[in-house]
Amino acid sequence: MVTWGEKVLNQIEEVSIDMTGNYKLLVKKLCPNAEVTIDRFHVTKMVHEELNQARIDQKKTAKTLQLKEKSKLFRSIK
C-alpha cells in the first residue's frame, strides 16, 4: 500500500478488513480518510458463534431444571 503514495492513500474512502491483528490501526495510519468496516463473513461468523453458545447454555440450563424436577418428583413418590 505504501508504494501507492500518500495522494492515493488519502483518497481511499473505505477499507474492509477481517477481525484479526491490528489491521484497523494500520489502515487508519496509512489511509486516514478511510472508514474501516469488518467484512460480512467475520460478522456472520461472530454472530453464529454467540448464538451457538447461547443455545448450548440454554440446553445446559434446561437439563439442570429437568433433573431438579425429576428428583422432586421421585422424592414426593417415596
Side-chain angles (χ1 to χ4, degrees):
M1 278 177 71
V2 177
T3 59
W4 292 352
E6 190 174 326
K7 182 179 179 183
V8 173
L9 293 174
N10 285 332
Q11 292 176 355
I12 296 173
E13 295 177 1
E14 184 176 3
V15 176
S16 180
I17 61 173
D18 65 20
M19 296 171 25
T20 58
N22 291 321
Y23 292 137
K24 184 175 181 177
L25 295 174
L26 181 62
V27 170
K28 279 298 181 189
K29 181 178 179 183
L30 295 175
C31 308
N33 300 317
E35 186 72 30
V36 179
T37 60
I38 300 170
D39 66 84
R40 282 186 235 160
F41 170 79
H42 287 89
V43 171
T44 303
K45 180 180 177 217
M46 183 175 66
V47 169
H48 171 74
E49 288 170 354
E50 290 295 323
L51 287 173
N52 192 47
Q53 187 58 51
R55 180 192 61 80
I56 291 168
D57 293 344
Q58 289 296 316
K59 188 174 181 179
K60 286 179 184 177
T61 300
K63 277 187 175 183
T64 302
L65 292 174
Q66 288 171 354
L67 289 173
K68 286 179 182 177
E69 292 301 316
K70 284 180 184 177
S71 66
K72 283 181 189 178
L73 176 65
F74 286 123
R75 276 186 269 155
S76 66
I77 292 173
K78 293 180 180 179

